[in-house]
Amino acid sequence: MTLNGRAWIGDQVRDETVKREGIVTDVRQGTYLLRPLHGTAPEWTANSDDQLTVTVPREDRQHSIPPER
């Protein structure tokens, strides 16, 4: 869950340092692991959430995923 507008696991974010959007997949000792929105580009890390802007909170992303058939 997004806390106080800060990025957290499952949030779609814009990383201002690398000018890319991604999904936060893990947070370890203050380091954020992000994966790209599409494709097979490698994951990357952000040393702080100060450089991350939440573009789509996890709660909203879950509602946009179509159900499995």
Side-chain angles (χ1 to χ4, degrees), residues 24-36:
V24 178
T25 60
D26 200 3
V27 181
R28 295 185 185 170
Q29 298 178 345
T31 299
Y32 290 70
L33 180 64
L34 298 105
R35 69 169 174 79

Side-chain angles (χ1 to χ4, degrees), residues 33-44:
L33 180 64
L34 298 105
R35 69 169 174 79
L37 295 178
H38 309 286
T40 58
E43 295 178 323
W44 75 96

Side-chain angles (χ1 to χ4, degrees), residues 6-68:
R6 308 295 284 201
W8 198 245
I9 296 169
D11 289 337
Q12 181 175 323
V13 298
R14 171 136 177 103
D15 183 340
E16 297 300 333
T17 301
V18 296
K19 308 292 188 236
R20 293 175 61 187
E21 284 208 30
I23 307 295
V24 178
T25 60
D26 200 3
V27 181
R28 295 185 185 170
Q29 298 178 345
T31 299
Y32 290 70
L33 180 64
L34 298 105
R35 69 169 174 79
L37 295 178
H38 309 286
T40 58
E43 295 178 323
W44 75 96
T45 59
N47 293 329
S48 166
D49 67 346
D50 291 338
Q51 68 200 48
L52 304 176
T53 303
V54 176
T55 56
V56 183
R58 176 178 179 238
E59 298 82 10
D60 293 348
R61 287 187 60 251
Q62 289 179 329
H63 294 291
S64 67
I65 299 171
E68 291 188 36

